[in-house]
Amino acid sequence: MSEHESLVRRMAWPETVSRAVGTPIQPSVVYASPDPDTLDAQYEGRASGYTYAREGHPNADVLARKLDQLEGARDGLVLGSGMAAVAAVLMGLTRAGDHVLGGDQLYGRSLRLMREDLPRLGIATSLADPTDAAAFLAAIRPETKLILLEVVSNPTLRVADMEAIIAGAKARGVLVVVDNTFTTPRGYVPFDHGADVVVHSVTKMLAGHSDATLGYVAAGDAGHHKAIYDFAVTVGLTPSPFDCWLAERGLYSFELRYDRAEANAAALADHIAGLPGVTRVLYPTRPDHPDHNRAVALLGARGGHMVSFEIAGGRAAANRLTQAAPNIAFAPTLGDIGTTLSHPASSSHRALGVEGRAALGITEGFFRVSVGVEEIGMLCSEFETAIRAAV
Ligand SMILES: *Cc1c(COP(=O)(O)O)cnc(C)c1O
């Protein structure tokens, strides 16, 4: 045998009587079965085994089973991004002629999917305010197939009237899809409240370190699951094994990170509210929040890890604030282990224009904070320094 022939053969994995404690990464695109009978058995579900990574792979499944535990789900799917998960649900469960109703403050790209892409495919869409259950339910049409909700909106942190909307949607035979990214299963478990499908951007708090882009979707009904799975696998919304591995590693500390970030967020909101030049602070469980009573009823003491606030002085003051907070990343994301700051008027909500933003209360002095796990005294003093320098 020549050296070249032996080089192209895969080496056997070294034998070991001990086992690795860490999760292995399996990047293989394809899996070899012993014979056609076994492959038949795999495809028919009589034997379990992977075939081709686009259809599923072990790192995605290990991560999905952990997320299933958090959401009280079965057979959830991990996909290549949060938007892949949203798209797989909306496009996997609808057909031309259906109508989809969404909350009017959904994540920016979800709004774009609703406004541009679904209508292009013959699926009608509309948006309504989910803090007003009567108005929201009145927007349901005979051909409404599903509604898409986020529990806490971005960036004004309004709390949807989940109980009334879910009850009303169920009574009308409409599927309820909840994007649970902001609340996380630590704050709210949609399946416990009657949701049909749950989606996540795992990229955010669940993975938690801003180094993996992933999504998750779980459906309570096996037929819905299959429709979503088939669509996702057909159009290739598959996640990278390495990203799944990173996210699974991140999940080990999810509950610790979340609880710490949430406690920090509540304390930071109160601290910022007492500073001169701060015109508004939004945190769901603060008594001055517009949905305070609903937040307490729905989320208990759990206000989450996001805080929004507004300072006087417009764009010039906003520029001074980020410049005076060099250790707080000014970046349009959320859920990182460290605190990040975003400015919706120049990023997530720039496409709305001044008037569209004004309708939501988003001014040039409006900031959204994704609070991290730093020591709270340091965090409060960094924000205080930045705000005092700005206003
Ligand atoms: C970030 C986000 C998404 C999209 O997730 P990606 O992983 O960035 O594709 C969807 N919904 C919400 C609420 C988000 O915050």
Side-chain angles (χ1 to χ4, degrees):
M1 217 201 307
S2 83
E3 281 172 57
H4 288 94
E5 273 173 326
S6 64
L7 267 184
V8 303
R9 296 283 186 262
R10 307 282 179 182
M11 297 294 290
W13 198 251
E15 296 225 348
T16 168
V17 295
S18 51
R19 71 181 167 85
V21 173
T23 304
I25 304 178
Q26 180 50 274
S28 190
V29 162
V30 73
Y31 291 79
S33 302
D35 50 49
D37 280 352
T38 308
L39 195 54
D40 268 345
Q42 287 175 243
Y43 279 124
E44 288 161 15
R46 290 180 283 114
S48 69
Y50 298 99
T51 53
Y52 188 68
R54 180 163 37 69
E55 318 254 326
H57 56 71
N59 287 102
D61 284 347
V62 166
L63 175 60
R65 296 297 77 77
K66 285 208 149 177
L67 296 170
D68 286 352
Q69 283 176 31
L70 285 171
E71 284 293 7
R74 275 182 38 235
D75 293 338
L77 281 176
V78 170
L79 300 176
S81 68
M83 281 316 300
V86 173
V89 176
L90 296 189
M91 300 173 81
L93 296 183
T94 56
R95 62 183 65 243
D98 286 343
H99 169 249
V100 172
L101 174 63
D104 58 358
Q105 288 195 51
L106 293 173
Y107 181 72
R109 286 278 161 187
S110 298
L111 284 177
R112 171 172 162 122
L113 195 58
M114 300 274 294
R115 288 197 177 115
E116 312 284 333
D117 300 291
L118 293 183
R120 196 162 43 72
L121 301 172
I123 298 149
T125 63
S126 55
L127 304 172
D129 177 5
T131 66
D132 179 346
F136 194 86
L137 292 171
I140 288 180
R141 303 175 189 172
E143 63 277 17
T144 304
K145 173 76 187 189
L146 61 85
I147 61 174
L148 174 62
L149 294 168
E150 290 173 22
V151 186
V152 174
S153 76
N154 175 38
T156 59
L157 311 181
R158 295 296 306 263
V159 181
D161 192 350
M162 299 299 288
E163 303 295 294
I165 291 176
I166 292 176
K170 290 196 108 54
R172 291 162 177 79
V174 172
L175 299 177
V176 177
V177 180
V178 178
D179 178 339
N180 204 27
T181 303
F182 265 50
T183 16
T184 85
R186 198 100 178 116
Y188 182 79
V189 179
F191 285 129
D192 288 351
H193 297 266
D196 296 288
V197 181
V198 174
V199 301
H200 273 285
S201 170
V202 178
T203 312
K204 311 291 170 52
M205 195 73 187
L206 291 170
H209 297 75
S210 300
D211 52 12
T213 300
L214 289 172
Y216 167 83
V217 49
D221 174 85
H224 295 151
H225 167 80
K226 185 168 173 359
I228 294 166
Y229 171 83
D230 280 334
F231 179 79
V233 164
T234 299
V235 300
L237 305 179
T238 316
S240 134
F242 183 58
D243 279 359
C244 294
W245 184 88
L246 283 171
E248 192 235 346
R249 189 177 194 265
L251 265 190
Y252 289 97
S253 62
F254 161 65
E255 295 183 338
L256 294 170
R257 284 186 284 108
Y258 188 79
D259 289 357
R260 167 84 170 218
E262 181 175 63
N264 277 356
L268 183 66
D270 289 343
H271 187 74
I272 291 175
L275 297 175
V278 173
T279 45
R280 210 157 31 120
V281 171
L282 294 169
Y283 187 69
T285 50
R286 271 179 62 87
D288 58 1
H289 188 280
D291 304 316
H292 168 78
N293 290 343
R294 185 179 303 139
V296 171
L298 199 67
L299 308 171
R302 310 217 72 123
H305 63 105
M306 306 294 292
V307 177
S308 293
F309 69 93
E310 183 190 53
I311 54 168
R315 173 63 70 95
N319 283 334
R320 286 194 292 272
L321 189 149
T322 60
Q323 288 161 7
N327 295 323
I328 296 168
F330 172 53
T333 188
L334 63 124
D336 188 64
I337 182 100
T339 299
T340 58
L341 188 60
S342 84
H343 181 250
S346 63
S347 58
S348 53
H349 291 68
R350 60 179 303 132
L352 281 185
V354 178
E355 279 173 21
R357 287 194 294 273
L360 296 175
I362 302 169
T363 60
E364 284 292 341
F366 192 97
F367 282 95
R368 187 196 75 185
V369 191
S370 170
V371 183
V373 305
E374 294 94 333
E375 195 276 315
I376 184 62
M378 183 189 83
L379 206 52
C380 286
S381 91
E382 282 176 337
F383 271 89
E384 180 163 345
T385 303
I387 290 170
R388 286 187 190 279
V391 298

